[in-house]
Amino acid sequence: MSQPSEIVVRAITQDGAFRVITALTTQTVQGVVSAQQVTGATAQRLGELVTGAILVREAMAPTLRLQVIAKDTAGRGSLVADAHPDGSTRGLVTLRGGETEIEVAGGSLIQVMRSLRNGAIQQGVVEVPEGGGISQGLMAYMQESEQVVTMVSVATLLDEHGVGRSGGVLVQLLPEVERGPLMVMTERLREFEELGAVLANEEVTADKLLDELLYGMPFTRLEESALRYACQCSQVRVVTALATLPRSDIEEMVSDGEMLDINCDYCGKAYQVPPAALQALLTPS
């Protein structure tokens, strides 16, 4: 279920003007897309959302779980990216009414949720700007919900085998930024607006993205974190989810006396829950 590790890299310019995060997410996205069995535009958007969720989590909540949901403007479905602090990431595609493709464009909704340590959920919802996509939607979220001026660029490239390359960059303006460095960075970021052209170079890594983005700017490479595709599902989580059902529903399943077959929507792994385990849910602890 797991893929070999990739990394996300964090750095800060020595003048305290910019915080930068870069990631090459090809193998992680390949795992997610393969598990969801999607192709074309849906695979691209899912890859971009997964990469964006990784970048935003690293920027705003590196020790917390973060989910990003993108909803198709025409109501054809939604995409979910679920990024965890251990570096594991998974995704989910929900299609409605026989639709086969999801597009995220101007007017689509982007919802970002992160789990806080006290169990509460912090969330924000923004609309993708007209003419924009997932990158612009995430930038709008950072500006409106987090009140941080941020540039985000994510891209997923497809080839004849599926996902060929995927990655992203995130740049935050810090309070110490001055006009000169800001003008330089603004011009530099124009080259990264179409990140796909940069990622097409197969020699590009997360560190090379960092070096190119901050060329000529002294910076400190802070740390890196491993990334991988992996699902968090387990037998215990399945039973725990069943425990949230109404008691009448559980009693009905117990009375049927049959093994309950459940597949994880994220990775497709099959689980079997015997009647005895369901009966235990009806017994007061």
Side-chain angles (χ1 to χ4, degrees):
M1 186 182 299
S2 298
Q3 294 281 354
S5 292
E6 299 176 301
I7 62 170
V8 55
V9 179
R10 294 181 290 281
I12 188 171
T13 55
Q14 292 181 6
D15 61 3
F18 307 104
R19 184 183 184 208
V20 180
I21 301 173
T22 63
L24 194 67
T25 59
T26 302
Q27 294 170 351
T28 301
V29 169
Q30 286 173 342
V32 173
V33 168
S34 176
Q36 291 298 298
Q37 300 181 355
V38 290
T39 59
T42 301
Q44 278 190 302
R45 300 296 89 80
L46 180 60
E48 292 169 0
L49 195 71
V50 164
T51 302
I54 290 170
L55 293 173
V56 172
R57 182 186 62 77
E58 288 288 334
M60 305 307 300
T63 62
L64 300 174
R65 176 187 181 185
L66 184 137
Q67 287 185 308
V68 183
I69 302 171
K71 297 182 179 180
D72 184 286
T73 51
R76 291 174 292 192
S78 62
L79 306 173
V80 178
D82 187 17
H84 291 252
D86 65 355
S88 64
T89 305
R90 60 183 184 174
L92 178 65
V93 177
T94 302
L95 293 165
R96 299 186 178 89
E99 296 289 346
T100 59
E101 189 170 287
I102 294 176
E103 187 59 89
V104 180
S108 295
L109 295 180
I110 298 283
Q111 181 180 11
V112 180
M113 301 181 293
R114 62 174 180 257
S115 303
L116 303 181
R117 294 190 183 283
N118 61 3
I121 301 293
Q122 184 179 60
Q123 62 179 320
V125 180
V126 297
E127 187 174 291
V128 176
E130 194 63 35
I134 288 174
S135 295
Q136 291 72 26
L138 291 174
M139 282 191 283
Y141 165 77
M142 295 297 291
Q143 177 69 42
E144 296 176 21
S145 295
E146 301 291 350
Q147 303 295 305
V148 181
V149 178
T150 306
M151 179 272 186
V152 179
S153 183
V154 295
T156 294
L157 305 180
L158 303 182
D159 57 25
E160 65 272 18
H161 304 295
V163 174
R165 299 279 282 174
S166 189
V169 300
L170 181 149
V171 179
Q172 290 182 327
L173 274 63
L174 301 179
E176 294 80 4
V177 65
E178 297 181 354
R179 179 177 177 81
L182 179 58
M183 293 178 65
V184 172
M185 180 59 79
T186 299
E187 188 62 31
R188 183 73 51 76
L189 289 175
R190 297 186 193 280
E191 303 173 15
F192 284 81
E193 289 180 353
E194 296 298 331
L195 189 61
V198 179
L199 293 178
N201 181 353
E202 294 186 357
E203 296 183 354
V204 167
T205 63
D207 273 303
K208 288 186 177 181
L209 284 174
L210 186 66
D211 291 339
E212 289 186 27
L213 190 56
L214 295 178
Y215 178 76
M217 298 181 182
F219 67 90
T220 300
R221 188 184 189 276
L222 299 176
E223 56 185 322
E224 66 181 51
S225 298
L227 301 173
R228 71 188 191 282
Y229 161 68
C231 188
Q232 301 289 323
C233 68
S234 67
Q235 184 80 16
V236 171
R237 290 177 184 269
V238 169
V239 174
T240 300
L242 290 172
T244 65
L245 294 174
R247 184 179 180 87
S248 59
D249 289 351
I250 299 175
E251 290 174 340
E252 182 177 348
M253 289 186 287
V254 170
S255 65
D256 287 341
E258 297 181 358
M259 187 77 72
L260 190 62
D261 295 313
I262 298 177
N263 289 344
C264 175
D265 291 333
Y266 284 94
C267 69
K269 184 175 180 179
Y271 292 93
Q272 290 189 323
V273 182
L278 294 172
Q279 180 64 54
L281 298 178
L282 301 174
T283 303
S285 57

